[in-house]
Amino acid sequence: MNSLSENTLALINKTTLGAIEVSPIGAFDDNYIWYIEDTETQQCWIVDPGSAEPVLKTLKSLNNKSLSGILVTHHHHDHIGGIDQILKVFPDTPVYGVKSDRVPQVSMFVAEGDTLELSANLTFEIISVTGHTRDHIAYFSKNSKHSFLFSGDTLFVAGCGRLFEGSAEQMLSSLKKLKALPANTVNFCAHEYTLNNLKFAEAVEPANQDIQEFKHSCIELRNNNKPTVPTTIQQELLINPFLRWNDPAVTKKAAELAEKPVLNDVETFAQIRLWKDRF
Ligand SMILES: [Zn+2]
């Protein structure tokens, strides 16, 4: 299996959401930098450019397309490391993100509840999703037909981000917000962690047939060097142990791990997350 940065830079694996198209740009071993295009206005944006090179090469390959904006979910280097170099090439590009000295490149501040209108066809709602970091945000867009989400390192396919700066309680409350989004919401996360996550999901719920079926389709995708991202909230509700804290099989496993019989949502989530850390 090739690392993602060796993938072709052509925008394959496109997801079409009405006038909006979203494509992954592979970076490092397993990061996805998301390229978003409004096919009517021809504007484009990128999400979490941890590396400049694949982004600049991609834009060059698209008839020297210029950039309308950069969206940042959180401050980790593999999400922002390419911004400075991209701004050297496209100096006036607005950079959207939270106000923080950890991402000094941000020029357009956004926060929970804000509406960010980027084009006639693209409006995001900002959702605060603390847990992985203390100021992580997600970008959610919804119109009459399509809903989609850029969740950074919060909601992975069959997994969730590590708790670097937040408590289990904070991460759970963030995931509750994402779980409540429309079932058809397409979730673009920032890493290809799916096969490992599914091994863990399987260990949490050995009898879950949805996990088995999904695992087979993901193995097939990865064997063909294709991304397993995005999925939908609906799919995640069936297979993601970190959205299934109130499923009997998951609570039973968490109780076994905790060696006590009845756990609340936070305790269940915390036990499963702790197990994943040492899995
Ligand atoms: Zn991160």
Side-chain angles (χ1 to χ4, degrees):
M1 208 176 289
N2 294 329
S3 74
L4 294 180
S5 50
E6 288 161 15
N7 278 359
T8 168
L9 290 164
L11 292 175
I12 50 175
N13 306 309
K14 200 175 277 184
T15 301
T16 302
L17 303 146
I20 300 297
E21 289 180 349
V22 181
S23 312
I25 299 174
F28 312 117
D29 287 337
D30 54 28
N31 278 70
Y32 290 124
I33 299 167
W34 293 104
Y35 171 90
I36 311 171
E37 184 169 330
D38 182 330
T39 55
E40 282 173 8
T41 67
Q42 308 297 319
Q43 291 166 283
C44 73
W45 302 264
I46 50 167
V47 184
D48 285 354
S51 173
E53 198 197 353
V55 173
L56 296 173
K57 276 191 183 164
T58 300
L59 293 171
K60 201 169 181 186
S61 75
L62 298 168
N63 293 324
N64 288 316
K65 204 160 179 60
S66 71
L67 206 51
S68 293
I70 297 171
L71 279 63
V72 177
T73 64
H74 68 294
H75 74 284
H76 284 158
H77 190 73
D78 62 321
H79 295 252
I80 65 167
I83 297 177
D84 286 339
Q85 210 184 322
I86 293 169
L87 290 178
K88 277 186 193 151
V89 181
F90 301 105
D92 298 324
T93 309
V95 181
Y96 302 92
V98 294
K99 188 169 187 179
S100 157
D101 52 13
R102 304 194 291 186
V103 196
Q105 299 92 341
V106 169
S107 53
M108 304 290 279
F109 303 126
V110 294
E112 163 99 339
D114 285 356
T115 299
L116 181 60
E117 236 186 281
L118 294 180
S119 77
N121 298 299
L122 186 62
T123 299
F124 284 113
E125 228 173 85
I126 308 302
I127 305 175
S128 164
V129 283
T130 54
H132 179 67
T133 69
R134 63 171 185 264
D135 50 10
H136 194 306
I137 54 170
Y139 296 82
F140 172 65
S141 182
K142 181 180 185 300
N143 62 32
S144 56
K145 283 193 181 146
H146 303 280
S147 306
F148 51 100
L149 175 75
F150 293 92
S151 64
D153 286 356
T154 296
L155 180 64
F156 294 126
V157 179
C160 78
R162 273 178 188 268
L163 304 181
F164 285 122
E165 296 178 357
S167 63
E169 194 168 6
Q170 285 171 323
M171 184 57 121
L172 180 65
S173 103
S174 298
L175 291 172
K176 280 183 176 172
K177 293 181 193 173
L178 303 186
K179 188 175 177 174
L181 296 176
N184 71 344
T185 301
V186 178
N187 177 39
F188 298 93
C189 61
H191 288 276
E192 181 60 62
Y193 289 160
T194 308
L195 294 186
N196 274 336
N197 286 345
L198 284 169
K199 267 184 215 156
F200 178 73
E202 214 174 1
V204 176
E205 293 187 82
N208 183 329
Q209 280 312 307
D210 294 311
I211 293 174
Q212 293 305 319
E213 279 169 32
F214 186 62
K215 186 181 83 173
H216 291 303
S217 64
C218 290
I219 289 172
E220 175 107 14
L221 285 169
R222 295 307 296 138
N223 284 342
N224 291 306
N225 209 24
K226 287 192 168 294
T228 62
V229 187
T231 59
T232 59
I233 294 293
Q234 187 166 29
Q235 175 68 37
E236 293 305 314
L237 292 176
L238 297 174
I239 57 143
N240 191 324
F242 298 105
L243 293 184
R244 294 170 58 76
W245 58 82
N246 45 17
D247 181 273
V250 177
T251 48
K252 184 166 166 277
K253 176 55 81 177
E256 276 170 36
L257 291 163
E259 297 177 345
K260 67 178 217 184
V262 182
L263 304 180
N264 63 29
D265 289 356
V266 176
E267 289 169 326
T268 298
F269 176 79
Q271 285 298 328
I272 300 292
R273 184 58 254 182
L274 277 172
W275 190 29
K276 176 72 166 65
D277 288 344
R278 53 177 201 269
F279 188 75

